[in-house]
Amino acid sequence: MFFKGQPELLFDHLTCPRTLMVFTAEEGAGAHCHPGARRLTQARIYDWLDDTLNVTTAIA
């Protein structure tokens, strides 16, 4: 609804590692972008960082 197509346009112009993350109303992101799905957003971002940076965490 807002800025339709702009996320994809930005994604297409990036030359670095990237992933287009889509959030749905069913996941709680129906309130313009992702504010309703803050925990899901953070989980996806941190998972992406772990995968992209190849981070392994040892639990002591």
Side-chain angles (χ1 to χ4, degrees), residues 2-36:
F2 299 100
F3 311 111
K4 187 168 180 69
Q6 286 188 355
E8 294 84 359
L9 186 62
L10 174 61
F11 178 86
D12 291 341
H13 281 85
L14 294 173
T15 59
C16 57
R18 68 216 191 274
T19 301
L20 182 62
M21 295 182 187
V22 177
F23 296 86
T24 66
E26 290 80 15
E27 295 170 314
H32 180 60
C33 298
H34 70 276

